[in-house]
Amino acid sequence: MLQNSTLLAHAVGTGKTYAMITTAMEQRRLGLARKPMIVVQNATLEQFARSFKRLYPTARILVPNAKQRDAKNRNRTMSRIATGDWDAVIVPQSFINMLPDDPERERAYIRNEIKEMEAAKIDAAAQGGKKSPKAADLQRAIDRLKDRLQNIAARKVDDVLTFEQLGVDSLFVDEAHEYKKLQFTTKMESIKGLDVSASKRGFSMMMKARWVQEKNQGRNVTFATGTPVSNTIAEAWTMMRYLRPDVLKDYAMEKFDSFAGTFGETVTQLEMTAGGTWKPVTRFAKYTNGPELIAAWRTVADVVTPEEIN
């Protein structure tokens, strides 16, 4: 965690909380970070703060209460975060989801996504014709992103600080599976169970993670979750995309289709529909190239299972 952005794929009760707290303080001690921010679930905010004080009784931590986090006082709290010398700032997920990102960075990110989708659309049209369903789906996704660009340009700019202005240079996210919905392009949308939809909080978390990494040579972002992969292989790729885009580049897996083609195998079978008819359904059936997948995954993730803990 001191050397690279990392996923703590630790089961419940195996020490994720203490690992993040001690890493934040070590980053401060070693000069690797000046202002770590730890994002936790709303229900565990006070418990996390108590654990921090148990380990480091003299630490200067900021834990905004409910009043300090409401719309009326949010900007004042953000000013305290920006101007204070804190060993750590601990905030709930609901608070960081409301922190705005730099509009210029948002626009640049979305324009790049549009560029990639337009290239994928041209490829889909070349393979399936101008009326290709895949090309039509991509065009709808492009239109949504263009609408988002217009909304960013047209929205009223409030007099509030953005995340980039807070001085946060290390980011820890507990229960990070809450942010696993990131939009991506793929030719495999027909595969059952593969979710390519995006969430606003996932997009915003990507913006925040990238900002921290850009300022720290790719370091200082830590995600923690006991369920990094709960549905499909896409979730493993998404976690790697958040934390170690350099690893995906080294393995030539920056695109999901390359990742899935290398490590996943699909099977098409007839399944009965709700109306009692049969139709072919394609699903990911199993992982392939297991040792190579584990090697790539272990480059990003530290895995601890209940069986490994005494």
Side-chain angles (χ1 to χ4, degrees):
M1 285 190 283
L2 295 176
Q3 295 173 349
N4 290 300
S5 292
T6 303
L7 172 66
L8 297 182
H10 292 189
V12 175
T14 55
K16 293 192 300 289
T17 297
Y18 280 7
M20 287 189 285
I21 292 169
T22 52
T23 300
M25 291 297 284
E26 280 297 284
Q27 287 177 339
R28 286 268 294 180
R29 185 181 71 84
L30 296 171
L32 298 176
R34 294 185 302 105
K35 191 177 296 178
M37 175 176 279
I38 303 176
V39 181
V40 302
Q41 284 190 318
N42 290 41
T44 61
L45 180 66
E46 293 182 3
Q47 177 187 340
F48 205 102
R50 287 195 297 270
S51 295
F52 207 116
K53 282 296 187 180
R54 186 177 300 122
L55 284 175
Y56 299 94
T58 61
R60 295 187 73 249
I61 60 174
L62 175 63
V63 189
N65 58 35
K67 184 178 179 180
Q68 292 170 325
R69 301 194 305 266
D70 65 24
K72 183 179 178 181
N73 298 295
R74 188 178 301 124
N75 203 35
R76 182 182 299 175
T77 301
M78 291 170 67
S79 296
R80 289 190 67 200
I81 295 172
T83 58
D85 180 24
W86 307 106
D87 288 317
V89 178
I90 306 174
V91 299
Q93 290 179 355
S94 61
F95 183 80
I96 197 158
N97 294 342
M98 296 298 294
L99 295 187
D101 301 293
D102 180 3
E104 284 299 323
R105 293 186 67 244
E106 284 188 79
R107 280 192 282 266
Y109 186 93
I110 292 173
R111 287 192 190 105
N112 186 61
E113 289 285 299
I114 290 174
K115 185 178 178 181
E116 289 188 4
M117 285 189 180
E118 286 177 339
K121 177 191 165 187
I122 292 170
D123 187 40
Q127 293 184 12
K130 291 184 178 180
K131 294 185 179 181
S132 162
K134 173 60 181 171
D137 290 341
L138 284 168
Q139 184 58 54
R140 284 191 287 270
I142 290 169
D143 291 340
R144 287 194 297 270
L145 286 175
K146 287 181 176 178
D147 287 342
R148 189 165 188 170
L149 267 181
Q150 291 180 346
N151 292 335
I152 293 172
R155 73 187 179 192
K156 181 182 177 182
V157 179
D158 296 326
D159 184 20
V160 297
L161 295 172
T162 65
F163 176 81
E164 291 84 351
Q165 294 172 313
L166 298 181
V168 172
D169 53 3
S170 180
L171 184 63
F172 297 82
V173 183
D174 196 19
E175 306 301 339
H177 54 269
E178 297 289 344
Y179 299 93
K180 65 185 179 184
K181 280 199 172 186
L182 278 181
Q183 185 170 320
F184 60 93
T185 58
T186 175
K187 299 174 185 175
M188 301 181 175
E189 285 189 355
S190 60
I191 293 178
K192 189 117 177 181
L194 185 61
D195 188 359
V196 299
S197 62
S199 67
K200 289 182 179 179
R201 61 183 175 183
F203 173 82
S204 184
M205 182 57 71
M206 175 63 87
M207 297 294 296
K208 292 171 173 62
R210 283 291 179 269
W211 170 255
V212 171
Q213 290 169 326
E214 287 165 9
K215 299 300 176 183
N216 296 282
Q217 295 78 51
R219 297 191 313 264
N220 288 17
V221 176
T222 299
F223 280 14
T225 175
T227 54
V229 180
S230 56
N231 291 315
T232 72
I233 192 173
E235 294 172 10
W237 179 77
T238 295
M239 287 295 175
M240 297 174 75
R241 184 180 169 200
Y242 266 120
L243 296 164
R244 295 296 302 277
D246 58 314
V247 171
L248 292 179
K249 185 175 181 179
D250 290 343
Y251 279 80
M253 298 185 308
E254 293 172 284
K255 303 298 182 185
F256 173 74
D257 289 359
S258 299
F259 179 82
T262 303
F263 297 127
E265 184 175 304
T266 60
V267 171
T268 301
Q269 295 178 326
L270 289 174
E271 294 187 8
M272 184 176 288
T273 67
T277 60
W278 295 85
K279 71 172 185 178
V281 174
T282 303
R283 300 177 184 272
F284 279 114
K286 63 180 181 180
Y287 292 104
T288 58
N289 298 316
E292 291 78 10
L293 174 58
I294 291 172
W297 181 247
R298 291 282 188 167
T299 304
V300 179
D302 181 72
V303 181
V304 178
T305 64
E307 292 76 23
E308 294 175 303
I309 298 299
N310 186 344

